[in-house]
Amino acid sequence: MANKRRAPSRPRHVAVIPCRWGASRFPGKPLALLGEKPLFWHVYQRCLEASTLAEVVVATDDDRIRAACDDLGIRSVMTGELATGTDRVAECAQHLDADAFINVQGDEPFISSAAIDAVSAALTESASDVVAVNACTELRAPAAILNHNVVKAVTATSGNALMFSRQPIPYPRGTYPTYLRQLGLYGFTPAALHAFHALDQGPLEQAEGVEMMRFIEHGYAVRAVLVDDDGMAVDTPEDLRRAAARMKGARRSAAPLP
């Protein structure tokens, strides 16, 4: 009897949600309530809806956030005080077994689970020189294009990222360009996270406050993956109020007719 071929095992991809207390624009943001649950809990739920993840953990340096994770039955890993969320994911990854890690920002309560799966798939399929994958979505609202809290991405014909900026780039001197929003959704191999953690912050990352510039400034390839996502980042208390209104509107739309 011929031996049956064993199906290749699925890569083990783990989502890490970095959460810190001391956000300059919104201290304590991860524990801010959206509905009846803290903000990071909603991100965790979006990760659970993804089909490609083996596990979801929260990475934090704050005992209050760790306690909230314990209360909600969410696994957390304590890290040191670090410069960026990706540095936090890199330190957390040292304690986890995975083929790749998905960094899902803790302030994206409406992030698409399909976008998470797209980043996971791109990590598996990208060329060997690609160290990281960054999800992007098209921007159409002029207010969002001009908003410095919304990070814009510019890509090459290869699909790799050229630049991330809080400014509305590219400048529309000739034709009106397509603007891309960088989502707080990144994917890395363990080796890429190790490299990121060892690299110094460059002047562009320091100026823009966009951590993915660290790879680009040091000559590494970052793949931009275009996804369909209409989520919103919660950067300020006003954003949280808008997110609450959006959630209430969604619940009313989903309610059965009397």
Side-chain angles (χ1 to χ4, degrees):
M1 181 177 180
N3 291 330
K4 292 184 178 179
R5 289 185 177 180
R6 182 177 296 175
S9 59
R10 173 185 287 185
R12 179 176 171 81
H13 289 187
V14 173
V16 181
I17 305 172
C19 293
R20 67 187 182 101
W21 183 270
S24 59
R25 287 170 290 178
F26 196 169
K29 179 171 62 174
L31 297 188
L33 291 180
L34 178 57
E36 298 179 351
K37 300 290 186 181
L39 183 62
F40 78 85
W41 180 88
H42 296 276
V43 181
Y44 181 81
Q45 297 305 309
R46 303 292 80 74
C47 291
L48 292 183
E49 293 168 1
S51 63
T52 54
L53 299 178
E55 189 176 9
V56 186
V57 302
V58 169
T60 186
D61 61 358
D62 190 272
D63 287 333
R64 290 162 290 191
I65 297 172
R66 180 180 62 178
C69 289
D70 291 344
D71 290 342
L72 293 166
I74 296 173
R75 182 183 177 185
S76 64
V77 175
M78 291 294 290
T79 68
E81 294 184 12
L82 300 165
T84 71
T86 301
D87 286 301
R88 197 173 309 286
V89 174
E91 184 172 311
C92 177
Q94 298 173 19
H95 307 284
L96 301 172
D97 176 29
D99 297 304
F101 295 90
I102 315 296
N103 178 344
V104 188
Q105 300 286 1
D107 58 7
E108 294 266 2
F110 305 109
I111 192 76
S112 164
S113 58
I116 297 172
D117 286 335
V119 168
S120 181
L123 270 174
T124 303
E125 299 164 3
S126 290
S128 59
D129 66 322
V130 172
V131 300
V133 172
N134 194 163
C136 299
T137 191
E138 187 172 344
L139 273 175
R140 296 181 177 86
I145 294 170
L146 296 172
N147 187 344
H148 71 273
N149 289 325
V150 177
V151 175
K152 273 67 70 173
V154 175
T155 62
T157 55
S158 64
N160 289 349
L162 291 172
M163 176 68 181
F164 298 99
S165 179
R166 298 181 184 277
Q167 293 290 342
I169 57 172
Y171 181 80
R173 185 175 185 273
T175 59
Y176 191 81
T178 297
Y179 288 96
L180 298 178
R181 173 195 171 205
Q182 178 210 49
L183 296 176
L185 179 58
Y186 323 128
F188 310 94
T189 64
L193 282 175
H194 178 76
F196 182 93
H197 205 34
L199 293 171
D200 293 329
Q201 286 185 321
L204 293 178
E205 181 189 355
Q206 292 175 336
E208 292 276 4
V210 179
E211 61 213 67
M212 292 302 286
M213 283 306 304
R214 191 178 311 180
F215 278 132
I216 293 175
E217 285 188 84
H218 287 278
Y220 291 89
V222 175
R223 173 70 65 183
V225 176
L226 191 62
V227 299
D228 185 13
D229 184 273
D230 63 351
M232 58 174 287
V234 176
D235 295 306
T236 65
E238 176 57 31
D239 289 338
L240 184 66
R241 289 188 283 271
R242 291 193 296 114
R246 173 172 172 169
M247 182 171 290
K248 288 180 180 178
R251 287 174 177 171
R252 285 196 295 268
S253 298
L257 294 175

